[in-house]
Amino acid sequence: LKVGDLHMDVRHRRVSRAGKAVALSPREFDVLQVLMQEPGRPFSRTELCERVWQRDHEYDTRTVEIFIARLRKKVDSGFGPALIQTLRAVGYTIRPPE
C-alpha cells in the first residue's frame, strides 16, 4: 500500500516513510493498514474499533485516539506534511499532501 511517500508492505508487516523504516506495534500497524487501504475515506472511531479489534460490544473510542496519536508521532512527525488527518465530528483519514 502507498500513500504519498508512506509505504506499507502488508505481507511482511513493514512500513517506511521517505525511505526510512518506521517501527510500529501490531495494533498500530493494523490501524494504519485500515486507513491506507482506502486513502481519503473517513473512518469513524467506532468503525476503526470494529475493524481493528473486531469486537461486538461497546467500544472505548479513546483507544483509537491513543493509537492515532502514536501513529502521528511515528509516521508524520519529522517527515514533512502530515498524512493522517482528523475530520472534526467524523473521524480520521489518511491522504497524500496536495
Side-chain angles (χ1 to χ4, degrees):
L1 302 172
K2 181 180 176 190
V3 176
D5 61 352
L6 180 65
H7 298 265
M8 175 180 277
D9 178 344
V10 176
R11 184 173 181 211
H12 295 102
R13 296 188 66 87
R14 293 184 195 142
V15 175
S16 64
R17 176 127 191 227
K20 295 180 183 179
V22 177
L24 299 178
S25 73
R27 288 287 188 219
E28 291 167 345
F29 185 94
D30 294 343
V31 171
L32 185 61
Q33 182 179 358
V34 169
L35 294 173
M36 290 184 72
Q37 285 174 333
E38 298 182 62
R41 180 187 183 281
F43 288 91
S44 69
R45 290 166 185 81
T46 301
E47 186 175 5
L48 284 170
C49 282
E50 290 170 352
R51 288 189 177 212
V52 174
W53 285 270
Q54 300 175 355
R55 295 184 188 152
D56 293 327
H57 60 79
E58 287 296 314
Y59 299 104
D60 183 355
T61 58
R62 290 176 293 173
T63 302
V64 171
E65 294 171 14
I66 291 166
F67 278 91
I68 292 292
R70 289 180 187 171
L71 283 171
R72 284 186 168 134
K73 286 181 184 176
K74 294 179 177 185
V75 171
D76 284 339
S77 183
F79 285 107
L83 301 177
I84 299 170
Q85 305 291 317
T86 299
L87 304 173
R88 188 178 292 268
V90 177
Y92 303 100
T93 189
I94 190 167
R95 57 181 152 211
E98 297 183 16

